Amino acid sequence: MSGTVCGIMDDLDRQIIKAVCDEDTMSSASVGMSDLSDEILLCILRHLPVCDLLMNVANVCQKFHTLCRDKSLLTNVTMSEEYLADDQLIRHILKQLSSHVQSLSLNGCYWLSGSTMEHLARCKGVTHLDVTGCRLTSLCLSRLLSSLSSLRSLAFDVRPCFNSALLSSEAVDSLSRLTELRQTLFTPSYGVVPCCAQLRKLMLQFDIPDVTREGVGVCCQLMVGQSSVPHYEQLEEFTARLAPGEVNQTLLLLYLAVFSVHIPKHLRIFLVSIPGPNPAHWPAAPSLVQSLGQRGDLVSLQLPRSWLDSLSLKRALEGNSPKHLSFSRCPVLWPQVFQSLLNGGVQDATQLVSLNLSGINHVSYSECRSVEDHLVAVTISQLAVACSNIKHLNLMHTHYHHEHSPGLDTDTHLCASLGKFRHLRSLTLPACALSDGLNTHHISTRNMAPSPLFQGLKKAPRVGLQNYKPDSEPSLSGDSTSGLAALIAGCPFLETFELIGPGFASALPRLEPCTRASVEPRGMCAWARGVGDAHFAALEALPRLRCVTLAGLPGVLRGTGLVQLAKQCRDLRVLSLANLGSLKTMNYTAALLDTLKQCTQLQELRLEQPYLNANASFFEALSCCSRLQCVCLISRCGTFDPPATEAFMERCCQVIMCHMFMGGTLVACRTLQKALLERFSAERPALSVVIYPLQHEDLPSVIRGIPLTLLDRMTLFQSHVAQPPHLSPL
């Protein structure tokens, strides 16, 4: 349940309690749910999953039976997270929804059979349908489109078996009336775009490998004829999100070919996200940007760095009031971005809601990195004043080095400037942004190189942990957290917080080549090395936190701050921890176990550490997370305990995703995977179990076989803060 929903429910609870306890209006405190008005009950029921609504709540009494079939509850239905619903239940639900539903989403329901998809045809009044990630053949799609004559919005996958020639004339006629289309492409194809002459919104996701599982290169030659080239006459929104690979970039340019000839007059949202340091060049980009800036109604803009220069950006933003801007990995645009936002380069900067500046001041690592490559606290403070309504801000892969001085107060710290974004809900920062400056230990470590003689005579450090005391103060880092305190005081409503250290790159291979091409060596930033346990503990002052990511932080000693964070942030739903502390051992195991025992509301856990020991103690602590749905463990040299894994899966009955990329043999991994699937698949239709050696050569093909919705949601480590909503995971 989202934070907004929780707030509504809490407000309703307070109103009900007040009404019950008010002696002037109520003679008795014995008020049941059925005594509430229909309006209040409908407001409460609106936040229940449709399966619970129709299969459970409707059977309580006659009043609830009637209310649960109210049109207001069944018009817009999402079943994307009904993980325990099998084909039979979904068919039964669709039968009850058939005469009411207008907007229906089965996004990510990868476990449903193709025959269940056929039952969607009975929902004749559907205008918006999302079957992304579902098993849908070309013939099934044709039958659905032929039956759903009112359809105006469609989202689906274009897989290698897709054949547009199998679409009936009735299906093509339905496509001609679509105004919104979202295609996830797993094969080079235009999909159904050539049939959609009235599109206003086109959203594309490219996920085509350069090489098939058989090792054959993928060809990206499409017929460029009058009937196959996409038409965008009415287009207002175009978004494209690419996975790594040359084929994806080539196919994107084919989709964009028509823009070189004609740019739609009403285009106001243009978002293209291409991973990697060298996106393909598109010659028509300058004319597109110029056209976007002329009409004064630009809403969202994101372009690869090679497509945009400072002059083009200036012209695009002039006279516009955008809501979403992303300049990720565009260091050339850094001065112009701030000039436009701060010096009247946009018409109304207060309209800006989401700003992605990830890597905008990033240069390749060198010993000569200048101060001009760092964020400036004063500039960010001015940005907070000008763009006062920003809710989502991403500053990952940037640097800020605070110089602590007795004559300077905390107001000069970057965090104090960030604290002026009063409406901030999600924030991604580089680790060094939290540091209050180098302490004497860091300075001496950096400036005094040890003699080779002493290196040879030095006693080897002990591997292991001292006795762990969760509330022991000495475990916390000696660094001050006054800067972070200023941020927390100014942004008490943060719900998502990501802290990424320099040099962090996930061990999973799908995005690794793109990631490693742009990161600096781990531990090279002395300011980042000073961020650790004390800073984690300070986050306890943000009780609204729902999602926390902490990655690539070598300054973590024993992880005691994690325990304090979990104790106070009781509604934590998503926790991602990666490469904390030393990479040669796992020095925060005890704290991690205590942390997991506190996370009773946790739904998703992603843990990446080279020497993770997933033993009985670990899974026993993880079993305290009774609401856990997804768990992903990544450890190059890690070990796992098969019986403990099975016991955990039995205790946590809501887990539908168990992905473990560890050490061990292929036989051991496959044996455990088979055992878990055979034992729990019947009761958990959506169960996805992938257990595989992290360093095995076949791992990339194994990852490609995981449903895309799970890859984006948990398995792959990537920040989604300040991504425009159209580019968020599908």
Side-chain angles (χ1 to χ4, degrees), residues 632-708:
C632 181
L633 307 179
I634 303 170
S635 182
R636 182 179 67 252
C637 303
T639 59
F640 58 87
D641 184 334
T645 308
E646 285 197 52
F648 154 72
M649 289 291 289
E650 183 174 9
R651 287 194 292 266
C652 293
C653 56
Q654 295 187 44
V655 173
I656 55 91
M657 170 185 151
C658 180
H659 292 178
M660 296 167 54
F661 305 97
M662 312 278 283
T665 65
L666 180 60
V667 173
C669 291
R670 285 181 170 175
T671 300
L672 178 57
Q673 175 177 310
K674 181 180 179 182
L676 295 180
L677 288 172
E678 289 180 349
R679 183 172 177 183
F680 299 106
S681 290
E683 60 193 46
R684 307 179 200 183
L687 183 62
S688 172
V689 177
V690 180
I691 303 176
Y692 215 78
L694 182 60
Q695 296 181 309
H696 198 279
E697 60 182 6
D698 291 336
L699 181 60
S701 62
V702 171
I703 291 178
R704 284 201 298 267
I706 298 175
L708 190 58

Side-chain angles (χ1 to χ4, degrees), residues 49-283:
V50 67
C51 287
D52 281 339
L53 199 68
L54 296 178
M55 303 306 298
N56 298 323
V57 181
N59 297 326
V60 172
C61 63
Q62 183 60 41
K63 181 175 183 177
F64 278 7
H65 185 273
T66 302
L67 287 175
C68 287
R69 284 163 173 77
D70 188 88
K71 183 179 180 180
S72 64
L73 300 180
L74 304 181
T75 301
N76 301 305
V77 175
T78 298
M79 291 190 281
S80 299
E81 297 187 5
E82 298 284 0
Y83 297 119
L84 300 182
D86 58 12
D87 286 284
Q88 183 177 357
L89 178 58
I90 293 297
R91 293 173 187 174
H92 182 69
I93 295 296
L94 290 175
K95 183 178 180 180
Q96 298 190 57
L97 292 174
S98 58
S99 59
H100 303 285
V101 65
Q102 296 178 8
S103 176
L104 178 60
S105 175
L106 293 171
N107 186 321
C109 293
Y110 51 86
W111 64 93
L112 296 179
S113 66
S115 58
T116 297
M117 294 296 103
E118 300 276 2
H119 286 68
L120 294 172
R122 67 172 67 201
C123 302
K124 303 292 186 181
V126 164
T127 59
H128 293 71
L129 179 63
D130 187 348
V131 288
T132 303
C134 298
R135 302 174 189 174
L136 201 67
T137 64
S138 300
L139 288 175
C140 180
L141 176 64
S142 178
R143 286 191 286 268
L144 285 180
L145 292 172
S146 301
S147 301
L148 306 179
S149 58
S150 300
L151 197 64
R152 296 297 178 267
S153 175
L154 174 65
F156 78 110
D157 293 344
V158 179
R159 298 192 175 274
C161 58
F162 176 79
N163 185 359
S164 60
L166 297 178
L167 299 178
S168 66
S169 58
E170 293 84 359
V172 173
D173 188 50
S174 291
L175 289 171
S176 68
R177 293 189 291 270
L178 287 184
T179 58
E180 298 180 15
L181 175 66
R182 182 170 62 190
Q183 290 186 158
T184 302
L185 297 150
F186 294 96
T187 188
S189 171
Y190 285 128
V192 298
V193 173
C195 303
C196 307
Q198 299 185 35
L199 283 183
R200 297 181 183 274
K201 298 181 182 180
L202 177 59
M203 293 156 278
L204 303 170
Q205 180 160 356
F206 300 82
D207 204 275
I208 309 165
D210 287 341
V211 180
T212 66
R213 293 187 179 185
E214 294 75 23
V216 180
V218 176
C219 178
C220 193
Q221 293 182 355
L222 298 180
M223 182 179 64
V224 185
Q226 185 176 1
S227 62
S228 62
V229 176
H231 300 282
Y232 306 127
E233 292 293 334
Q234 309 294 327
L235 204 63
E236 299 176 5
E237 303 180 16
F238 179 90
T239 66
R241 178 171 176 249
L242 279 67
E246 293 297 327
V247 172
N248 291 315
Q249 295 194 40
T250 302
L251 183 58
L252 171 65
L253 295 181
L254 290 175
Y255 271 86
L256 293 175
V258 69
F259 284 103
S260 302
V261 180
H262 170 72
I263 298 175
K265 294 186 295 183
H266 304 291
L267 191 66
R268 56 194 180 90
I269 292 178
F270 194 86
L271 304 165
V272 174
S273 174
I274 301 178
N278 300 306
H281 180 63
W282 185 43

Side-chain angles (χ1 to χ4, degrees), residues 543 545 565-572 597-601:
L545 280 180
L565 167 65
K567 282 183 177 180
Q568 299 302 320
C569 301
R570 305 298 298 177
D571 204 23
L572 199 61
K597 293 174 183 177
Q598 303 292 332
C599 297
T600 56
Q601 303 299 311

Side-chain angles (χ1 to χ4, degrees), residues 374 399-404 431-438 442 446 479 524-531:
H374 299 162
H399 275 274
Y400 170 74
H401 294 169
H402 185 72
E403 297 293 345
H404 180 71
C432 54
L434 301 191
S435 175
D436 284 350
L438 295 181
H442 294 142
R446 182 181 59 170
D479 282 351
M524 285 296 182
C525 177
W527 279 260
R529 292 201 302 267
V531 175

Side-chain angles (χ1 to χ4, degrees), residues 317-598:
L317 296 182
E318 280 180 343
N320 286 283
S321 303
K323 294 183 179 180
H324 307 279
L325 292 175
S326 179
F327 305 106
S328 177
R329 294 179 288 112
C330 298
V332 176
L333 303 179
W334 183 17
Q336 186 59 54
V337 168
F338 287 104
Q339 183 178 346
S340 294
L341 294 177
L342 298 180
N343 300 328
V346 297
Q347 182 174 357
D348 185 4
T350 62
Q351 295 295 315
L352 194 62
V353 174
S354 173
L355 180 61
N356 188 347
L357 301 178
S358 172
I360 194 169
N361 70 343
H362 179 74
V363 294
S364 298
Y365 178 78
S366 70
E367 296 291 345
C368 302
R369 178 188 279 127
S370 65
V371 69
E372 285 78 14
D373 299 324
H374 299 162
L375 295 174
V376 180
V378 174
T379 304
I380 298 299
S381 182
Q382 295 171 348
L383 186 67
V385 174
C387 308
S388 56
N389 292 314
I390 285 183
K391 293 183 178 180
H392 314 286
L393 180 63
N394 193 328
L395 297 176
M396 185 171 65
H397 297 318
T398 59
H399 275 274
Y400 170 74
H401 294 169
H402 185 72
E403 297 293 345
H404 180 71
S405 173
L408 299 176
D409 55 24
T410 57
D411 290 341
T412 64
H413 199 288
L414 175 68
C415 287
S417 300
L418 292 170
K420 297 178 182 179
F421 289 97
R422 304 298 183 184
H423 299 284
L424 212 57
R425 293 296 181 271
S426 61
L427 176 65
T428 299
L429 290 178
C432 54
L434 301 191
S435 175
D436 284 350
L438 295 181
N439 59 29
T440 56
H441 172 70
H442 294 142
I443 294 175
S444 62
T445 302
R446 182 181 59 170
N447 295 338
M448 297 178 60
S451 165
L453 174 62
F454 285 106
Q455 283 184 335
L457 298 176
K458 185 174 62 176
K459 183 179 179 180
R462 292 181 60 190
V463 177
L465 284 171
Q466 299 177 358
N467 291 335
Y468 169 69
K469 298 178 181 179
D471 296 318
S472 59
E473 198 64 31
S475 64
L476 299 179
S477 169
D479 282 351
S480 167
T481 60
S482 56
L484 178 56
L487 167 62
I488 293 172
C491 306
F493 303 112
L494 272 178
E495 297 177 359
T496 299
F497 182 75
E498 299 178 343
L499 188 65
I500 315 294
F504 171 74
S506 176
L508 282 182
R510 186 172 184 250
L511 292 181
E512 184 180 11
C514 297
T515 305
R516 293 196 182 281
S518 58
V519 300
E520 62 194 55
R522 172 183 165 90
M524 285 296 182
C525 177
W527 279 260
R529 292 201 302 267
V531 175
D533 297 328
H535 299 84
F536 295 175
L539 296 176
E540 67 178 359
L542 295 171
R544 293 175 178 262
L545 280 180
R546 302 291 185 271
C547 305
V548 173
T549 296
L550 305 169
L553 305 173
V556 176
L557 300 178
R558 292 169 54 195
T560 52
L562 290 174
V563 184
Q564 293 178 244
L565 167 65
K567 282 183 177 180
Q568 299 302 320
C569 301
R570 305 298 298 177
D571 204 23
L572 199 61
R573 306 298 176 89
V574 180
L575 180 62
S576 296
L577 306 175
N579 292 2
L580 303 184
S582 172
L583 298 186
K584 297 180 179 179
T585 183
M586 186 162 174
N587 54 2
Y588 67 101
T589 299
L592 174 64
L593 301 188
D594 271 6
T595 299
L596 294 176
K597 293 174 183 177
Q598 303 292 332

